Amino acid sequence: MLRVSDLACARGGFPVLEGVRFEIGPGEAILLRGPNGCGKTTLLRTIVGLQPQTAGAIAVDPDSIAYCGHLNGIKPMLTVAENLEFWAAVYSMRPIDQALEAFGISGLRDRLARNLSAGQCRRLGLARILVTGCPIWALDEPTVSLDADGIELFTRTMRGHLESGGSAIVATHSDLNTDARELDVAGFRVRAKAGTTFDRAFR
């Protein structure tokens, strides 16, 4: 279970969001919606503990969340298999073959990550989430750089994760063809005070 209550968060010392509240349980997902710069990434980073909230509460076991942000969390000098084996070892998880197959990169297992295309890197980054075994996925624009086949693989994998009792919170502009609830993050934005010169795009 992930429960967020009256959460407020900031970026670079500037307040961004306030009053955010929701909860997700096993088998549930929430899609974070809103225009660029409205605070979706800031919210996700706060929930996973990469930055502190300025108010409110986040009720969750921090070890239960796997995060994939704009960066893929992979080492370019390691092969595809070595990257996944590293993360599987960190989380004491099973072999990596299921993750390789789920994202269609089995044939790339011996290729150095530095020699992958942007879309292949994204598939590897998402496969990394799968090998953690974490029940809650926090994903920031997971379909960026993916082609149509990659998006289908991701959607199928996320459906399987939810059907097996996992949860997900996903910031995306894409239609993921799921039954997930949607949360408009823009509705929680802190309104700039009159006369401020703060650039909202910084969020």
Side-chain angles (χ1 to χ4, degrees), residues 30-101:
I30 285 182
L31 303 183
L32 302 181
R33 301 294 199 184
N36 293 335
C38 73
K40 298 186 296 296
T41 294
T42 298
L43 177 57
L44 277 179
R45 288 176 56 83
T46 303
I47 288 171
V48 301
L50 293 177
Q51 59 188 62
Q53 69 260 38
T54 55
I58 302 168
V60 68
D61 176 0
D63 293 329
S64 69
I65 302 181
Y67 174 65
C68 184
H70 294 160
L71 301 179
N72 291 308
I74 59 179
K75 296 291 187 182
M77 297 303 295
L78 298 181
T79 66
V80 167
E82 288 169 341
N83 269 284
L84 292 184
E85 286 166 352
F86 169 80
W87 287 107
V90 168
Y91 287 87
S92 302
M93 291 302 294
R94 55 193 178 278
I96 64 172
D97 297 312
Q98 180 183 358
L100 288 167
E101 183 177 354

Side-chain angles (χ1 to χ4, degrees), residues 139-153:
L139 309 176
D140 196 354
E141 297 293 350
T143 59
V144 166
S145 298
L146 294 182
D147 57 16
D149 288 341
I151 293 173
E152 174 58 30
L153 289 171

Side-chain angles (χ1 to χ4, degrees), residues 107-125:
L108 302 173
R109 62 179 303 134
D110 296 322
R111 184 176 298 183
L112 290 176
R114 69 179 181 182
N115 294 327
L116 298 176
S117 70
Q120 291 167 339
C121 282
R122 195 55 169 173
R123 291 190 189 207
L124 176 55

Side-chain angles (χ1 to χ4, degrees), residues 148-170:
D149 288 341
I151 293 173
E152 174 58 30
L153 289 171
F154 166 73
T155 302
R156 185 187 311 161
T157 302
M158 193 174 87
R159 282 202 212 102
H161 176 66
L162 298 176
E163 289 169 0
S164 66
S167 305
I169 176 169
V170 185

